[in-house]
Amino acid sequence: MNTSNPEAHSNNSPMMSLPQALEKILNSIKPIEATESRKIMDAFGRVLAEPVKSPINVPPYRNSAMDGYAVCGSDLPASGEVPLKLIGTSWAGTPFAGEVHAGECVRIMTGAKVPEGADTVIMQEDVRAKENEITIGSGHKIDQNVRHIGEDITKGNVVLQPGKLLKAAELGLLASLGIATVKVRSQLRVAFFSTGDELRAVGETLEEGQIYDSNRYTIYGMLKGLDVEIHDLGVIRDKREDVEAAFTKASEIADVVFTSGGVSVGDADFVKETLEKLGQVSLWKIAMKPGKPLAFGRIGKAWFFGLPGNPVSAMATFYQVALPALQKLMGQDICKPLTLKVPTLDRLKKSPGRMDFQRGILDYENEQLIVRSIGAQGSHILSSMSRANCFIILPAESATVEAGSMVEVQPFAGLM
Ligand code: AMP
Ligand code: MG
């Protein structure tokens, strides 16, 4: 720990608000610079590194929005009926080669090119058709059912900006423009390990006073939601050489290092010692619950996040603090997670001071969206995260919230 830092952790240091902490972190990091070219299917989940301009117009030709008949607008009757001579068919993929003149029409399919001379499409349901002639009535407008060149995208216009996360719609959009490869940010490399003498890996037998390491699995799971390169460095015992070796290795192979545990008061001193020796790291107390202690800084060239050890705290700080930082490091536009205002069916116990991220279940009751509490809110109760489907966010200054009050909820589904 950098003890010269005024925000260095001590028992009486002031708490930092979550927005303050986030602002500090986001201001001090910048996106990784490396980029690479990838085929669009291999670019799923990646972040675009350059603006994409459309090389073509979409649609590339005037085409029909309906199955029907392409006609000349000048033939549309203001009243009564008009017969038109059928001179051919325009299929999607096989356009009609000729020109449509006054008094003529062409059978046309959805997506087929509107032939020269025609400017209007009449739905097939609106005509009476004989073998080589159709009859149309009044009530039609020139230009109806015609999709115009460049109506969706104009050639040369920027369709995607750098920072855009490439998902299904973007892959399709790129393909619709005939773009085969794009320049994306290289994958962010993320290493993590757990610290604690009490921790055992799954597969080992628990002795008295030991627990299984779960944080590594939740951290792995949360990282899986992002397109990052994952390095799992296991459980590190509270031993000086081991901790130092783990930090050194992690900072050499990754752009970002996560640990969990060892950042609260009363932890084995050499975790702090090691951080002080290898990097510039501050320990913060963030005014959020769960998740008060958090370490942030640099180890070597890597960014470092020391998440709290309690499993729910580790998840809450990952989502609320680390995720926006990872998005920025990936070069992605930071997405503000979706929140909703809904009534709570339960009384939510709270004392003023910290911003609460209680676990809730967003559901319907009498066809109205509501939220219930999952009950016990201890930061060690990991099952609460599994039963819940949202955070209930209560502002720092808020005290206990009575049942029936409106509260802000953040669905887990919108977090990644
Ligand atoms: P610490 O921040 O190291 O004091 O840990 C706070 C609490 O979280 C303690 O009860 C630890 O046993 C627990 N804890 C720390 N790391 C983990 C982990 N990786 N998996 C599960 N629980 C943990
Ligand atoms: Mg510990």
Side-chain angles (χ1 to χ4, degrees):
M1 179 177 61
N2 184 348
T3 44
S4 63
N5 187 316
E7 271 131 16
H9 179 95
S10 75
N11 281 334
N12 53 12
S13 64
M15 284 198 288
M16 208 187 294
S17 75
L18 176 59
Q20 243 179 328
L22 254 182
E23 193 187 317
K24 271 176 166 299
I25 291 173
L26 294 177
N27 282 341
S28 58
I29 58 177
K30 58 180 195 339
I32 54 159
E33 276 164 17
T35 60
E36 59 199 53
S37 269
R38 292 188 83 86
K39 289 193 178 140
I40 57 173
M41 271 195 188
D42 299 330
F44 183 85
R46 290 299 192 85
V47 178
L48 195 61
E50 61 180 0
V52 171
K53 284 186 185 170
S54 178
I56 56 169
N57 283 308
V58 180
Y61 50 87
R62 279 191 320 159
N63 69 88
S64 176
M66 294 285 175
D67 289 335
Y69 295 86
V71 305
C72 303
S74 53
D75 281 337
L76 297 177
S79 59
E81 292 189 331
V82 165
L84 297 172
K85 186 178 168 212
L86 184 61
I87 60 166
T89 301
S90 185
W91 303 93
T94 312
F96 175 73
E99 196 174 326
V100 181
H101 303 97
E104 296 175 344
C105 71
V106 158
R107 175 95 174 100
I108 192 164
M109 309 303 162
T110 304
K113 187 169 188 276
V114 175
E116 294 304 320
D119 57 10
T120 303
V121 171
I122 314 278
M123 271 166 67
Q124 63 189 25
E125 291 84 346
D126 291 348
V127 310
R128 282 202 320 276
K130 286 195 288 188
E131 198 174 339
N132 289 317
E133 188 184 279
I134 66 165
T135 305
I136 60 171
S138 60
H140 300 291
K141 288 203 188 89
I142 290 186
D143 195 44
Q144 72 184 19
N145 302 322
V146 174
R147 299 167 175 164
H148 289 274
I149 295 172
E151 186 181 298
D152 182 1
I153 297 163
T154 310
K155 183 175 171 176
N157 279 9
V158 174
V159 283
L160 293 172
Q161 295 285 0
K164 186 77 180 174
L165 184 65
L166 302 177
K167 293 294 197 61
E170 289 73 29
L171 295 197
L173 180 58
L174 290 164
S176 75
L177 304 178
I179 294 173
T181 57
V182 280
K183 197 166 164 200
V184 294
R185 298 260 183 193
S186 294
Q187 236 179 358
L188 195 68
R189 301 165 305 158
V190 183
F192 57 92
F193 57 90
S194 298
T195 64
D197 273 344
E198 77 279 29
L199 303 178
R200 288 294 170 273
V202 289
E204 292 178 357
T205 310
L206 292 186
E207 309 276 331
E208 189 70 14
Q210 299 178 339
I211 58 168
Y212 286 116
D213 165 25
S214 60
N215 287 347
R216 225 155 31 86
Y217 292 83
T218 47
I219 291 172
Y220 171 82
M222 292 185 290
L223 289 173
K224 270 295 202 187
L226 302 167
D227 195 51
V228 297
E229 186 183 296
I230 296 175
H231 298 269
D232 175 8
L233 302 185
V235 183
I236 308 299
R237 297 274 154 265
D238 287 330
K239 244 176 84 191
R240 183 182 315 245
E241 311 82 76
D242 293 6
V243 171
E244 193 169 324
F247 274 120
T248 305
K249 179 174 179 195
S251 66
E252 282 167 3
I253 60 170
D255 304 302
V256 188
V257 177
F258 280 98
T259 62
S260 76
V263 291
S264 50
V265 192
D267 280 296
D269 260 341
F270 45 79
V271 172
K272 291 174 193 163
E273 253 176 60
T274 312
L275 292 176
E276 191 181 332
K277 185 170 161 192
L278 300 179
Q280 301 89 48
V281 175
S282 309
L283 286 176
W284 293 346
K285 284 199 287 188
I286 301 186
M288 65 182 278
K289 187 181 173 187
K292 186 159 73 170
L294 180 89
F296 168 71
R298 293 211 94 159
I299 298 173
K301 286 198 180 124
W303 295 102
F304 171 69
F305 291 88
L307 305 180
N310 273 309
V312 183
S313 309
M315 290 192 81
T317 44
F318 183 95
Y319 283 125
Q320 304 304 330
V321 184
L323 183 57
L326 286 172
Q327 288 171 339
K328 178 158 183 190
L329 289 168
M330 290 166 72
Q332 189 188 328
D333 303 329
I334 296 169
C335 6
K336 195 169 160 17
L338 169 76
T339 60
L340 306 164
K341 284 254 173 175
V342 300
T344 170
L345 292 196
D346 296 311
R347 182 171 192 262
L348 306 169
K349 266 185 71 182
K350 183 182 184 301
S351 32
R354 294 198 262 161
M355 191 183 230
D356 259 23
F357 291 87
Q358 301 199 4
R359 273 74 66 211
I361 298 172
L362 193 58
D363 198 1
Y364 285 96
E365 173 115 338
N366 302 326
E367 290 173 33
Q368 214 213 333
L369 206 52
I370 53 87
V371 70
R372 294 174 223 282
S373 172
I374 44 88
Q377 294 285 340
S379 61
H380 57 296
I381 302 178
L382 186 54
S383 62
S384 72
M385 281 300 287
S386 175
R387 276 181 289 130
N389 62 10
C390 67
F391 283 120
I392 305 171
I393 306 178
L394 304 177
E397 61 282 4
S398 161
T400 292
V401 173
E402 298 304 329
S405 314
M406 296 300 281
V407 290
E408 187 179 16
V409 300
Q410 188 181 64
F412 291 164
L415 283 170
M416 268 186 195

